[in-house]
Amino acid sequence: MLPSGALRHAVLIEQRSVASDGAGDLAPTWTTFASPRASIEPSQGQERWVGERLMAEVDTIVMVRYVAGITPKTMRVKFGSRTFNLVALVNVQERNRELRLLCKEQL
């Protein structure tokens, strides 16, 4: 069980949807799905060259109390100005008490 003091960050979990942009094209938009308290911990980082640019990525684990309906690939975590793409999630011990969100942050 997560101690309440460990969840010191207010985050937003956002869900991707598609909306018309007025010109008839479909554009991705993000809507708030949940706003839990969280623990955010970087687990590893890496840099790689993509074309002529150096890209940095940080793998991050975001721990939250259980929220039903969170799905990877179509959701992301926002913390202030930082964005974490949700890659996978783990329902710790399958007890529906806490979730470990495995994320990637593009820098």
Side-chain angles (χ1 to χ4, degrees):
M1 187 68 156
L2 285 168
S4 60
L7 305 176
R8 64 179 147 271
H9 304 295
V11 299
L12 295 176
I13 298 175
E14 296 181 327
Q15 184 170 25
R16 182 176 52 225
S17 58
V18 179
S20 176
D21 66 1
D25 294 326
L26 297 177
T29 60
W30 294 92
T31 56
T32 300
F33 178 80
S35 52
R37 304 292 296 178
S39 165
I40 301 173
E41 296 185 27
S43 63
Q44 69 178 11
Q46 62 184 354
E47 293 179 336
R48 60 190 162 105
W49 287 97
V50 177
E52 296 290 319
R53 294 181 49 190
L54 182 63
M55 298 291 293
E57 269 185 354
V58 177
D59 291 343
T60 303
I61 298 171
V62 178
M63 296 289 293
V64 297
R65 296 205 191 283
Y66 183 80
V67 177
I70 296 177
T71 56
K73 306 293 183 190
T74 62
M75 294 190 170
R76 69 183 184 182
V77 177
K78 291 282 287 183
F79 175 57
S81 63
R82 298 168 67 189
T83 302
F84 303 92
N85 295 317
L86 181 54
V87 176
L89 63 91
V90 176
N91 183 355
V92 177
Q93 297 180 349
E94 298 295 324
R95 297 183 69 193
N96 294 348
R97 292 193 176 180
E98 59 188 272
L99 291 174
R100 182 176 296 137
L101 308 177
L102 308 175
C103 304
K104 284 198 180 290
E105 179 183 21
Q106 297 265 310
L107 302 176

